Amino acid sequence: LQEKVVFKLDVFDERIKQRAMKVVCDFPGVTLIDVKEKGKLKVSGEFDKFQMTKKLKKIYKYVDIIALEHDGEPKKNPDPVKKPEPIVKKAPSFRRWKIGFF
């Protein structure tokens, strides 16, 4: 089952970032790696995300999983079917009625 995992990796040292990329590249089942956003490492493929987190924590202490998404599942429709609102009739106005004697 294909998964997309986003890791929070706020690294200021370029050397640590390169070591983290090497660990992710050597991990079996990884198909895509994206590091374009600052402080985020996006990885997709078939792999054990907890083992990857464990290996990344050996390199850099502060690694967290931000987002997790399955690629194989269809997405749900964000717009559910809306029920039509019932038509409410107004009560008749008593001002038009002539009450009283002629």
Side-chain angles (χ1 to χ4, degrees):
L1 186 63
Q2 291 274 331
E3 292 181 321
K4 283 185 184 177
V5 182
V6 180
F7 293 101
K8 181 180 178 185
L9 192 70
D10 292 329
V11 178
F12 300 106
D13 189 12
E14 191 66 30
R15 199 172 65 181
I16 294 174
K17 188 175 180 180
Q18 287 176 357
R19 287 175 63 196
M21 286 289 296
K22 186 171 189 227
V23 166
V24 172
C25 287
D26 291 341
F27 217 85
V30 174
T31 57
L32 180 75
I33 301 168
D34 183 21
V35 288
K36 291 179 183 176
E37 293 183 43
K38 186 176 181 182
K40 292 183 182 178
L41 174 68
K42 295 181 183 179
V43 183
S44 67
E46 292 183 27
F47 56 91
D48 188 8
K49 57 191 163 285
F50 299 112
Q51 289 293 326
M52 185 179 286
T53 307
K54 191 175 177 181
K55 286 192 177 192
L56 284 172
K57 282 191 177 188
K58 288 181 182 178
I59 295 170
Y60 188 68
K61 195 176 192 180
Y62 306 104
V63 177
D64 291 324
I65 295 177
I66 298 175
L68 180 67
E69 188 177 305
H70 297 287
D71 282 345
E73 295 178 8
K75 294 184 178 181
K76 293 181 180 178
N77 190 1
D79 298 328
V81 178
K82 295 180 181 177
K83 294 180 181 177
E85 294 183 20
I87 300 171
V88 179
K89 294 183 179 180
K90 283 187 165 182
S93 174
F94 292 106
R95 291 185 183 179
R96 294 185 189 168
W97 292 4
K98 293 184 179 179
I99 301 175
F101 299 102
F102 296 91

